[in-house]
Amino acid sequence: MQLTSFTDYGLRTLIFLASLPEGELTNITEVTRLFGVSRNHMVKVINRLGQLEYIQTVRGKNGGIRLLQAPTAITVGQVVRDLEPLELVNCSVEFCHITPACRLKDRLAKAKQAFLNELDTCTIDALINDNRELMILLTRP
């Protein structure tokens, strides 16, 4: 299974924000620079994370972005569910004539659920806690 770049950068952004001192603001420009992604793409990611209430966006001269939820409360599985279009294949009868007798769709559904169950065991905090190497890579110059 491959995640979209949207979900990938959403997770990276949450990891970066969790690495900052609690309550500290950063901005889209800094996140864009850190991950080498287009500003346009990152604006969309940040906007969606804000809509989902993972992050807080503060407008104005001294504005920016920061985590809204505690890193211990954010599971990777839920973020993936919220950001990722999780339809592995199109099983509509209009698209696939073997759908009524197909056994693959049930296996794919079970595999997807197992994938998400595993991601549900991991929080953003678990990804950064005691991870000195990551903190060095995320340190702002």
Side-chain angles (χ1 to χ4, degrees), residues 64-84:
I65 57 174
R66 64 178 155 225
L67 278 183
L68 183 58
Q69 297 182 32
T72 55
I74 304 172
T75 66
V76 174
Q78 190 57 53
V79 174
V80 169
R81 282 181 188 86
D82 288 342
L83 299 180
E84 191 69 25

Side-chain angles (χ1 to χ4, degrees), residues 120-139:
D120 284 338
T121 68
C122 180
T123 64
I124 296 297
D125 184 65
L127 298 174
I128 66 166
N129 195 8
D130 293 328
N131 190 340
R132 188 173 181 276
E133 289 176 278
L134 175 67
M135 299 308 274
I136 291 168
L137 294 170
L138 295 176
T139 301

Side-chain angles (χ1 to χ4, degrees), residues 17-45:
L17 294 177
S19 77
L20 299 176
E22 187 175 341
E24 184 174 317
L25 290 167
T26 188
N27 58 53
I28 292 174
T29 301
E30 189 168 356
V31 177
T32 298
R33 180 194 56 74
L34 179 66
F35 295 123
V37 64
S38 79
R39 181 177 178 81
N40 185 47
H41 189 64
M42 190 52 68
V43 166
K44 292 174 187 174
V45 170

Side-chain angles (χ1 to χ4, degrees), residues 90-105:
N90 183 349
C91 291
S92 67
V93 178
E94 296 82 22
F95 185 78
C96 180
H97 74 283
I98 68 169
T99 292
C102 183
R103 294 180 181 164
L104 177 61
K105 62 185 174 188

